[in-house]
């Protein structure tokens, strides 16, 4: 949470995960666009999942735990 109470997200990228994020941005935009058809969103979701499955999680990353703000 920010000091003003806004929920924020912090991302830590590896070079590979950043490249995947950049490559998948177009499908992200389709998914969030209310004008996209259900078929477009379905295909964009399939592609997004495929992109995300390609990301290699760095060793030890899953062991990192951040305290949850109250």
């Amino acid at each position: 949470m920010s000091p003003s109470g806004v929920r924020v997200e912090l991302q830590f990228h590896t070079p590979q995960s950043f490249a995947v994020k950049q490559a998948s941005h177009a499908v992200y935009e389709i998914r969030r666009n209310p004008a996209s058809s259900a078929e477009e969103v379905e295909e964009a979701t399939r592609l997004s999942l495929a992109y995300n499955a390609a990301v290699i999680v760095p060793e030890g990353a899953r062991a990192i735990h951040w305290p949850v703000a109250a």
Side-chain angles (χ1 to χ4, degrees):
M1 291 286 194
S2 73
S4 62
V6 176
R7 186 178 298 267
V8 297
E9 175 183 355
L10 179 62
Q11 298 181 358
F12 294 93
H13 284 284
T14 64
Q16 191 250 351
S17 71
F18 185 77
V20 169
K21 179 184 93 69
Q22 294 300 95
S24 66
H25 188 74
V27 294
Y28 167 78
E29 289 297 333
I30 292 168
R31 293 178 66 213
R32 68 185 293 263
N33 184 346
S36 296
S37 70
E39 293 80 14
E40 290 171 323
V41 171
E42 182 179 341
E43 177 63 7
T45 299
R46 185 189 68 73
L47 290 170
S48 182
L49 291 170
Y51 276 119
N52 290 338
V55 175
I56 299 167
V57 178
E59 185 176 330
R62 295 191 195 283
I64 299 171
H65 295 281
W66 296 90
V68 177

